[in-house]
Amino acid sequence: MAGQEATHWKIEDLDFSRIARAEVRKDENLFYLVACASFIESGSDLYTQNLVDFFRGDDEVTAWLADYWEAEELQHGKALRAYVSHVWPEFDWETAYRGFLEEYATYCKVELLSPTRGLELAARCVVETGTASYYRALARATTEPVLRDLASRIAADEVSHYKHFYRFFRRYRQEEKLGRLRVLGIIGRRTLELKSEDADCAVRHVVRVRSPERACDAAYIRQLGARINGTVRTNISPGTTLKMLMRPLELPASVETVIQYPIRQFMEHVFLR
């Protein structure tokens, strides 16, 4: 893993002076996409500790979580915050984030993880699929070169994280003798939760500081969330997303054609509705 650490990109690799500020500053939708993502990424240390505790005794998994995954996720948060600060300097990021973190911490509990390590790793594959898809969509949704570069870098990181979780999952699948039905169940549940309280929480706290007069306007916040989801949905790559989601099932060719269609219908309903 030393090579991974040595070659991973740094915030200094991004030239924020090249931001086409006039192009994006008036784009409220883009502001919320980036600001909300910066909050969730910046809270990564909360659920990293939960996972480290959950996998205590498995040094390979816990070392990677603590030494690589958490650091890269927090770097995503710092880079996205820096972008927000360059384009929308009037936004009080710190105040909004403090409110978000206080609420978000209540969602990050060990008891909310899956019942076994193998199933939790399958769930993490779903989460990484969702985040990779989000940042790929964000990169497609803008022509601003610095944001497109940043979103593409983060998407590549999320794919790399997915590969690690998938490798760990395969080991635990053997140890726990996990059948496909159990894996399918956890994939389905976590897929339904992707559009979850995390994003809703971020939107609410950004609105409270960005537009305090709309903070109690539930209809406005719902509309805003729908608009953000619409941007992601329009720019998502469904084929790649579905392939990543289905990979932990490791379907043999003999049954793949039978089971793939209903699974694809379900995944498309969740991601593309």
Side-chain angles (χ1 to χ4, degrees):
M1 290 186 184
Q4 176 183 350
E5 182 179 24
T7 59
H8 190 258
W9 63 276
K10 298 178 175 59
I11 295 178
E12 291 74 22
D13 296 331
L14 302 165
D15 186 357
F16 291 105
S17 68
R18 292 179 55 247
I19 294 175
R21 194 166 177 268
E23 179 182 330
V24 292
R25 179 164 166 75
K26 295 181 181 180
D27 191 333
E28 280 289 293
N29 195 43
L30 200 63
F31 164 76
Y32 277 98
L33 282 165
V34 179
C36 290
S38 74
F39 282 12
I40 295 170
E41 298 281 3
S42 296
S44 300
D45 52 336
L46 291 175
Y47 52 84
T48 300
Q49 188 55 54
N50 288 343
L51 288 174
V52 168
D53 290 341
F54 191 65
F55 285 94
R56 186 78 62 191
D58 187 330
D59 294 343
E60 182 186 17
V61 174
T62 57
W64 177 75
L65 287 169
D67 297 339
Y68 293 93
W69 188 60
E70 179 181 22
E72 291 179 10
E73 294 287 287
L74 292 176
Q75 179 177 291
H76 297 166
K78 290 178 183 177
L80 291 163
R81 176 184 179 177
Y83 189 90
V84 171
S85 298
H86 276 79
V87 180
W88 300 278
E90 72 282 2
F91 177 64
D92 188 351
W93 190 95
E94 188 61 44
T95 295
Y97 178 67
R98 280 202 303 269
F100 163 81
L101 192 63
E102 183 177 354
E103 180 179 349
Y104 184 58
T106 65
Y107 307 151
C108 301
K109 299 177 180 178
V110 174
E111 54 265 33
L112 298 179
L113 298 178
S114 302
T116 75
R117 290 178 172 185
L119 292 174
E120 178 57 29
L121 288 165
R124 297 316 310 177
C125 287
V126 175
V127 173
E128 298 301 329
T129 297
T131 52
S133 299
Y134 181 93
Y135 288 110
R136 283 170 174 155
L138 179 57
R140 292 189 184 100
T142 183
T143 57
E144 200 289 301
V146 178
L147 181 56
R148 175 170 280 189
D149 178 31
L150 173 56
S152 297
R153 290 174 186 266
I154 297 177
D157 283 350
E158 303 297 356
V159 171
S160 174
H161 298 166
Y162 173 96
K163 291 177 180 177
H164 279 82
F165 283 121
Y166 178 67
R167 180 167 60 83
F168 299 145
F169 161 75
R170 294 193 73 190
R171 171 157 59 86
Y172 274 99
R173 179 176 60 83
Q174 295 290 340
E175 293 178 8
E176 297 176 3
K177 296 180 172 55
L178 293 174
R180 288 191 181 88
L181 283 178
R182 291 193 73 191
V183 176
L184 177 60
I186 206 72
I187 289 175
R189 181 172 68 81
R190 291 300 284 124
T191 300
L192 287 171
E193 293 171 357
L194 282 177
K195 294 177 182 177
S196 66
E197 54 199 6
D198 295 6
D200 294 339
C201 176
V203 170
R204 286 196 303 274
H205 287 280
V206 174
V207 169
R208 284 178 187 175
V209 171
R210 176 73 165 178
S211 305
E213 72 282 2
R214 311 298 292 269
C216 296
D217 188 341
Y220 170 76
I221 293 174
R222 282 196 302 272
Q223 182 184 48
L224 184 59
R227 194 167 74 237
I228 292 171
N229 287 336
T231 299
V232 175
R233 185 173 62 248
T234 300
N235 292 281
I236 205 169
S237 176
T240 302
T241 299
L242 294 171
K243 183 177 180 180
M244 290 175 69
L245 283 172
M246 293 176 63
R247 192 178 181 190
L249 294 174
E250 300 186 332
L251 297 171
S254 59
V255 299
E256 185 171 358
T257 55
V258 176
I259 197 172
Q260 189 177 45
Y261 180 74
I263 293 175
R264 285 179 67 91
Q265 291 293 102
F266 168 69
M267 300 305 183
E268 287 180 5
H269 173 69
V270 172
F271 276 94
L272 305 179
R273 64 188 172 183

